[in-house]
C-alpha cells in the first residue's frame, strides 16, 4: 500500500540557541518541509510513501534526496530544477517561550516550480491516498495546480490545512483550500485555520461545517498542547497531550498526521492510532529538526508506557 505526498522539501537552519536571530551565531541544518515530514512518519509506521517535489541542482537538493532516502521515503519521482532549493531559519523561544518562528528564503525556489507535469499519473492513480497541505497551495500557481491535478486523479485524498500567514492572506488561503476539501478521507486542521476556512474555531461547530459543506470523512482537530480530537463515524475520540520540555514545536503536526494516517490505513483503531500519533508529535517537539525524533512503533510504545506509570 502506497501513500503519495506533494510539497516542497526545504533545508531548515535551526538556531542552536534561543532568542532573536540577529544575535544567534550558530545554526544547525535539518531537512524538512511539511509533506516530506509527513512521508517520514508514514514510512515509519510501515507503509510506503512517495514524494512528488522539485529540489535545486545544488548541495541542499542533494541533502534533501539523501535524507529522504535514508529515512525510507521514495524520492525517485523528485525532479531536479535549475532554481535553488528553498531554505528557512527558525528562531526559538522568542518572543514567546516554547514557540518558534520561521523566516523563509524560498521565493522562486525549486520547490515552488512544482507543476502539473510532475504529477506521475500511474503513481497517483495507484496510490491508496494522496496528501498535501495549504503550504503547497500557497507557494505558487503551478504548485497549486499540481495539487489540483493530483487530487483529480487520486482515488482518496488527505489535506493538512497548514495555513502559513507569511505565505499568503487568509482570503487567498480560504479560497484555495475550499477548492480541495470536497470528499476528503482525512482532514487535519487547527482552530485558527478552521476559523479562516469555515468561520468556526470551536471543534464541534467547525467539524459540522466541514461535514455539511465538504463531506469530509475523518477530521483530526489539532489543538497543540491541549491534544487533539478525531471526528469519525459519528464519534469524537480525544487524542492525549503529554507534558515535555519543548525545544522546537515545528514539525509536530506533520508527525501527528503521518503517523495517524499510516496506522489507520493499516487497520489500527482510531483510538490506538491517535495515541501513537500523539506520542510521535510529542517526541518531535523535544529536539530541533522536524523528523529526527519521530519514533518507531516500539519507541512510541515505550514513551506511552512511561507516561502511564504513576
Ligand atoms: O510543518 C513543518 C513545516 O512548517 C516546516 O518544515 C517548514 O514546510 C514548511 C513550511 O513551509 O512552513
Amino acid at each position: 500500500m502506497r501513500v503519495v505526498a506533494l510539497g516542497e522539501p526545504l533545508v531548515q537552519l535551526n538556531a542552536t540557541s534561543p532568542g532573536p536571530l540577529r544575535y544567534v551565531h550558530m545554526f544547525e541544518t535539518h531537512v524538512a518541509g511539511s509533506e516530506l515530514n509527513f512521508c517520514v512518519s508514514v514510512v515509519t509506521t510501515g507503509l510506503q510513501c512517495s514524494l512528488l517535489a522539485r529540489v535545486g541542482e545544488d548541495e541542499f537538493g542533494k541533502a534533501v534526496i539523501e535524507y529522504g532516502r535514508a529515512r525510507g521515503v521514495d524520492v525517485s519521482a523528485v525532479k531536479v530544477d535549475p532554481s535553488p532549493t528553498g531554505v528557512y531559519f527558525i528562531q526559538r523561544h522568542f518572543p514567546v517561550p516554547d514557540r518558534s518562528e520561521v523566516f523563509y528564503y524560498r521565493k522562486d525556489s525549486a520547490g515552488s516550480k512544482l507543476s502539473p507535469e510532475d504529477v506521475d499519473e500511474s503513481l497517483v492513480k495507484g496510490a491508496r491516498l494522496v496528501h498535501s497541505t495549504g503550504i503547497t497551495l500557497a507557494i505558487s500557481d503551478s504548485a497549486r495546480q499540481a495539487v489540483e491535478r493530483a487530487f483529480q486523479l487520486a482515488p482518496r485524498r488527505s489535506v493538512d490545512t497548514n495555513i502559513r500567514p507569511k505565505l499568503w492572506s487568509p482570503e487567498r488561503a480560504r479560497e484555495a483550500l475550499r477548492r480541495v476539501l470536497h470528499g476528503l478521507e482525512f482532514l487535519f486542521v487547527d482552530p485558527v485555520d478552521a476559523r479562516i476556512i469555515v468561520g468556526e474555531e470551536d471543534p464541534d461547530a467547525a467539524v459540522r461545517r466541514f461535514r455539511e459543506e465538504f463531506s469530509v470523512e475523518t477530521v483530526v482537530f489539532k489543538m497543540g498542547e491541549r491534544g487533539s480530537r478525531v471526528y469519525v463515524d459519528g464519534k469524537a475520540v480525544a487524542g492525549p497531550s503529554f507534558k515535555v520540555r519543548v525545544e522546537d514545536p515545528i514539525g509536530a503536526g506533520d508527525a501527528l498526521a503521518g503517523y495517524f494516517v499510516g496506522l489507520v490505513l493499516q487497520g489500527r483503531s482510531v483510538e490506538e492510532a491517535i495515541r501513537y500519533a500523539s506520542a510521535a508529535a510529542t517526541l518531535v517537539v523535544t529536539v530541533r529538526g522536524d523528523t529526527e525524533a519521530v519514533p518507531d512503533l516500539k519507541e512510541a510504545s515505550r514513551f506511552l508506557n512511561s507516561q502511564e506509570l504513576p
Side-chain angles (χ1 to χ4, degrees), residues 160-163 188-207 210 219-229:
D160 188 335
T161 56
N162 267 352
I163 297 175
F188 298 87
V189 66
D190 67 16
V192 175
D193 290 7
R195 185 209 275 272
I196 292 172
I197 300 164
V198 291
E200 301 278 2
E201 62 179 38
D202 169 71
D204 292 350
V207 170
F210 283 119
V219 183
V220 179
F221 218 85
K222 304 179 290 182
M223 297 176 291
E225 49 280 353
R226 289 180 294 125
S228 59
R229 210 176 291 167

Side-chain angles (χ1 to χ4, degrees), residues 10 32-34 37 88 104 106 135 162 164 167 250-251 254 290:
L10 297 159
S34 180
N37 297 344
Y88 69 110
Y104 294 126
R106 67 192 303 183
I135 298 168
N162 267 352
R164 300 285 185 258
L167 294 179
I250 293 180
D254 304 327
D290 292 5

